[in-house]
Amino acid sequence: MAQVEETLKRIEASKGVIGTILVNAEGIPIRTTLDNSTTVQYAELLCQLSMLARTTVRDIDPQNDLTFLRIRSKKHEIMVALENNYLLIVIQNPCE
Amino acid sequence: MKDVLIFFSVITSFLTCVPVVIGVFTLAALRFYFGACSITVWRCKGCQTRVVHSAEAVVQTVSTTISSTQTEPQDQETEQLLLLLQKRDEPEPPGLRDFLQRVEGLVIRELVKNAKSHAFDGLLVNWEDYSQRVSCLHCLQHPSAQERGLHVTSVSWSCTGSVIACAYGRIDDGDWSTERSCVCTWNLNRRGLHTKQADLVIDVPTAVTALCCHPNQPALIAGGLYSGEVVVWDTSRTQDPILAQTGMSADSHREPVYQVAWVPLQRKGEFGVLSASSGGRVLLWTVDSDQGRFVLNAAYALVRQQVPHSSSARFKACGSNTVGVTSLALSPWDPDTFLVGSEGGLLLRCSFSSQTPAAVPSEGQSVTLRAPAVFSFRPRSGPVHSIHCSPFHRNLFVSAGTDGQVHLHSLLQPNPLVSLRVSDSYVFQVQWSPTRPLVFAAATGQGEVQIFDLGRRSPKAAATIVQGDAGQAATCFDFNCQNPHLLAVGKTDGTVGIWQLSTDLTEQSSRESSQLEQIANQVAE
């Protein structure tokens, strides 16, 4: 577990990172640096969106698969790295 | 010298048989008499300290208070989440470590690249068409109210943002009037919108002086009448829209109700109605829809003697005892605080949980009256028509009255932080914008609604809305929280204008919150 914590700490130490959330296959967040209600909201919404993005990529080309999803909004950027079982959500404020 | 004295005293004592007062010398003399060869001289030295001051003091507590806190039960989801996060010593989920190892490098590379990237510099995306102008979309009128010369006293958007409810009455009536009036609603999203014909007209026996739509249920509207009654209408009912009314009981107001507001009660999801009248009473009602009446939950009375005085307030002990309430504001940040403005220009911060009994004779109410005032701001010279708390900062609020100025106050200081001259006549209403922290609007007696932006340096208005003739006062307006570019303005000629605001008045920029924070932290002179 210590290794997991260390890895997450390295990610959080990057410039501009506001928060990170680690979500398991069932959509339940297992590690987070944000408050509870925000975490639950992000986990739920981004799980749905990642599934939709993934099916879009696979429908276009069945040999292809989604590796990374980035959403840029006016206030910050949300990055989602995903695999079969887990989702890593990082929220970064890239500028200023 | 001393031996001489001893000798002398011996002689004296034997001759006169008077006992010698000084015992020392007597002893010495006796020894001398009984043939001791040596004379023993006893010396005695005494000293005395200065007077030691002592004092006693006792203390007794006159009043005691006990307070306790309790956390609210958390809802299911967050409890599960917490449990999960707290089980740190659980065996790690399978594959987590590998996943993170694979993903870490990629994520950190992207984060670093993003921090340095100039790809999105200066990119402005607007989902809606950028509109530079403020334009009038509709001008709603109710012909029968206009014929009778009624003024629009209050407008309120429903919680869905598509229905506007307007109340008619008079703002300049000092006398008791028995004129009938009405409440009209228009649904702006309907295709067949008739600006001269309201979708729903509710007849009311007296003038309506206050209106407020329910924050969750779009069909409920609370209204305050000139006769002192508080009514809740249910617009989904076709037969009789009145859901509950106070009637004329010992509990209800005797003077016109100038403000009604929906207040969240302790149980989640329930709302009560708070009404304030110029009789100096602020009452909190719960709606009993089965019986069609209100139940008085809490009652507050404002009396001049119980108003706290700040150091800069000039206390004028004249006129009547009651403090007639003309405006009311709830704080969205602190459910215990509410602000009250009075006819005499007093501006008070009050507390729902105050337990001090009010110094008024009991008139047979079902609930004891309490004095809610906790803090007094610098009083104005005329009635305070409107107060509004900022939705973006917990300590700021604006107030406006008959002096033609809008004052920006902090809850922590008695003096205003900023005073802006808005017009030469009365200001009837002031309200913060729901989307931009630095913007507020004020409705003036000259018929304009001026929109101010505190981020701009100039004291002039950022935008002015002029509707119809200049002679008619703009009495009320309301921002639409669901569609923030809409603003409804009611005037004394009986028209309600729906205006579309330009994008720069509704879109928040990134620095605004910090600028507002800076303004709030100023110390007033």
Side-chain angles (χ1 to χ4, degrees):
Chain A
M1 267 327 212
Q3 203 177 355
V4 167
E5 305 288 348
E6 270 178 37
T7 315
L8 284 175
K9 278 210 175 42
R10 275 197 290 269
I11 294 176
E12 282 154 31
S14 300
K15 186 173 175 201
V17 172
I18 301 174
T20 52
I21 306 170
L22 192 55
V23 183
N24 72 0
E26 284 131 36
I28 301 175
I30 45 183
R31 286 282 180 282
T32 175
T33 57
L34 302 168
D35 59 290
N36 288 342
S37 51
T38 319
T39 306
V40 166
Q41 198 179 24
Y42 266 104
E44 207 183 290
L45 293 169
L46 286 168
C47 269
Q48 289 175 12
L49 189 62
S50 328
M51 285 306 118
L52 187 56
R54 188 162 181 237
T55 50
T56 307
V57 169
R58 296 189 69 167
D59 279 350
I60 293 174
D61 181 357
Q63 310 298 324
N64 207 352
D65 204 349
L66 179 66
T67 51
F68 207 75
L69 180 62
R70 288 167 75 157
I71 304 169
R72 191 168 180 113
S73 70
K74 270 199 248 186
K75 295 188 186 171
H76 42 239
E77 176 151 349
I78 305 171
M79 299 191 196
V80 183
L82 65 163
E83 230 172 83
N84 263 335
N85 293 333
Y86 299 101
L87 219 68
L88 175 66
I89 303 168
V90 180
I91 304 153
Q92 184 193 28
N93 186 4
C95 42
E96 276 97 53
Chain B
M1 177 67 177
K2 281 226 169 102
D3 298 339
V4 172
L5 277 167
I6 293 166
F7 189 66
F8 186 68
S9 65
V10 164
I11 300 294
T12 330
S13 65
F14 272 108
L15 285 173
T16 60
C17 298
V18 170
V20 178
V21 177
I22 305 168
V24 170
F25 295 110
T26 311
L27 220 58
L30 282 170
R31 286 198 73 162
F32 181 68
Y33 177 70
F34 284 118
C37 310
S38 62
I39 300 171
T40 343
V41 178
W42 285 22
R43 288 173 201 264
C44 180
K45 271 196 174 172
C47 69
Q48 187 176 343
T49 57
R50 255 178 286 187
V51 178
V52 173
H53 295 280
S54 67
E56 248 185 57
V58 276
V59 150
Q60 185 181 349
T61 50
V62 175
S63 68
T64 54
T65 54
I66 302 173
S67 76
S68 50
T69 65
Q70 185 180 337
T71 53
E72 257 185 21
Q74 294 157 323
D75 42 293
Q76 277 299 84
E77 290 179 342
T78 49
E79 241 185 75
Q80 275 175 2
L81 173 60
L82 263 185
L83 283 174
L84 215 51
L85 290 175
Q86 276 162 10
K87 287 190 205 155
R88 295 220 166 232
D89 44 351
E90 227 190 27
E92 150 193 323
L96 180 62
R97 204 186 293 186
D98 297 329
F99 164 68
L100 279 177
Q101 267 178 340
R102 275 194 294 269
V103 153
E104 179 194 357
L106 173 63
V107 171
I108 290 187
R109 258 204 315 274
E110 290 300 323
L111 285 171
V112 168
K113 256 200 290 182
N114 212 13
K116 294 193 279 195
S117 153
H118 292 285
F120 292 99
D121 275 358
L123 176 67
L124 281 175
V125 175
N126 283 302
W127 283 87
E128 279 138 24
D129 292 325
Y130 192 82
S131 104
Q132 291 253 347
R133 298 167 306 128
V134 174
S135 58
C136 183
L137 292 177
H138 309 283
C139 184
L140 306 170
Q141 295 159 7
H142 185 56
S144 65
Q146 267 188 313
E147 277 159 31
R148 285 184 281 153
L150 290 177
H151 310 154
V152 180
T153 50
S154 188
V155 287
S156 177
W157 291 96
S158 73
C159 60
T160 55
S162 48
V163 176
I164 178 86
C166 317
Y168 291 90
R170 286 199 187 278
I171 55 161
D172 52 1
D173 234 2
D175 248 351
W176 197 265
S177 85
T178 51
E179 199 167 6
R180 295 188 68 88
S181 69
C182 50
V183 171
C184 301
T185 65
W186 277 269
N187 187 334
L188 298 175
N189 288 342
R190 273 171 76 165
R191 283 175 54 204
L193 172 70
H194 293 289
T195 56
K196 292 224 176 7
Q197 187 188 3
D199 292 338
L200 176 66
V201 179
I202 304 173
D203 282 317
V204 182
T206 58
V208 184
T209 43
L211 202 69
C212 186
C213 286
H214 195 282
N216 286 349
Q217 295 172 7
L220 297 183
I221 309 176
L225 304 185
Y226 194 76
S227 59
E229 284 188 52
V230 177
V231 190
V232 171
W233 292 288
D234 185 347
T235 52
S236 60
R237 287 201 205 176
T238 41
Q239 285 287 28
D240 177 21
I242 297 182
L243 184 70
Q245 61 182 18
T246 54
M248 298 306 282
S249 66
D251 286 342
S252 63
H253 295 285
R254 300 289 156 77
E255 305 262 331
V257 176
Y258 280 113
Q259 201 105 25
V260 285
W262 289 94
V263 179
L265 294 175
Q266 278 166 344
R267 237 187 298 168
K268 215 174 166 190
E270 271 193 24
F271 285 86
V273 178
L274 189 70
S275 60
S277 81
S278 53
R281 300 260 195 278
V282 176
L283 304 176
L284 179 60
W285 308 87
T286 45
V287 180
D288 183 4
S289 42
D290 308 325
Q291 303 224 355
R293 60 189 186 92
F294 281 101
V295 174
L296 189 58
N297 199 337
Y300 305 92
L302 287 153
V303 181
R304 220 169 246 285
Q305 300 110 299
Q306 287 176 314
V307 168
H309 302 300
S310 58
S311 53
S312 59
R314 300 175 311 256
F315 179 48
K316 292 191 202 136
C318 61
S320 71
N321 206 12
T322 52
V323 174
V325 177
T326 47
S327 56
L328 185 69
L330 294 165
S331 167
W333 303 90
D334 181 9
D336 188 44
T337 306
F338 64 100
L339 298 165
V340 151
S342 82
E343 280 170 345
L346 288 172
L347 197 53
L348 304 169
R349 174 162 71 100
C350 304
S351 159
F352 279 117
S353 56
S354 147
Q355 296 295 334
T356 334
V360 284
S362 168
E363 285 154 19
Q365 280 104 354
S366 51
V367 175
T368 42
L369 292 166
R370 293 185 259 161
V374 167
F375 184 71
S376 158
F377 300 95
R378 187 164 76 175
R380 305 270 147 247
S381 48
V384 177
H385 282 139
S386 174
I387 319 177
H388 195 234
C389 291
S390 168
F392 290 96
H393 196 285
R394 37 173 339 117
N395 287 341
L396 292 178
F397 68 94
V398 279
S399 74
T402 51
D403 54 4
Q405 293 183 331
V406 168
H407 303 275
L408 175 66
H409 280 266
S410 164
L411 278 175
L412 308 170
Q413 299 170 29
N415 287 336
L417 298 172
V418 177
S419 296
L420 283 169
R421 177 137 214 106
V422 170
S423 94
D424 296 324
S425 73
Y426 300 170
V427 179
F428 286 105
Q429 184 162 357
V430 69
Q431 198 178 21
W432 289 98
S433 158
T435 47
R436 283 200 61 193
L438 293 171
V439 169
F440 64 88
T444 68
Q446 289 163 331
E448 307 165 332
V449 173
Q450 310 243 11
I451 304 179
F452 285 88
D453 185 348
L454 290 170
R456 294 199 193 183
R457 296 289 163 201
S458 83
K460 261 178 41 160
T464 309
I465 293 177
V466 180
Q467 170 190 320
D469 305 320
Q472 307 283 340
T475 52
C476 51
F477 69 93
D478 197 17
F479 278 102
N480 188 336
C481 294
Q482 299 294 100
N483 305 325
H485 54 276
L486 290 181
L487 178 66
V489 179
K491 294 190 68 167
T492 48
D493 58 2
T495 57
V496 175
I498 309 292
W499 291 80
Q500 178 167 32
L501 299 173
S502 59
T503 322
D504 61 340
L505 289 174
T506 51
E507 299 252 320
Q508 194 179 26
S509 70
S510 48
R511 300 274 156 79
E512 285 198 45
S513 302
S514 52
Q515 269 183 307
L516 192 67
E517 186 73 37
Q518 267 181 334
I519 295 175
N521 290 339
Q522 280 176 298
V523 176
E525 305 107 35

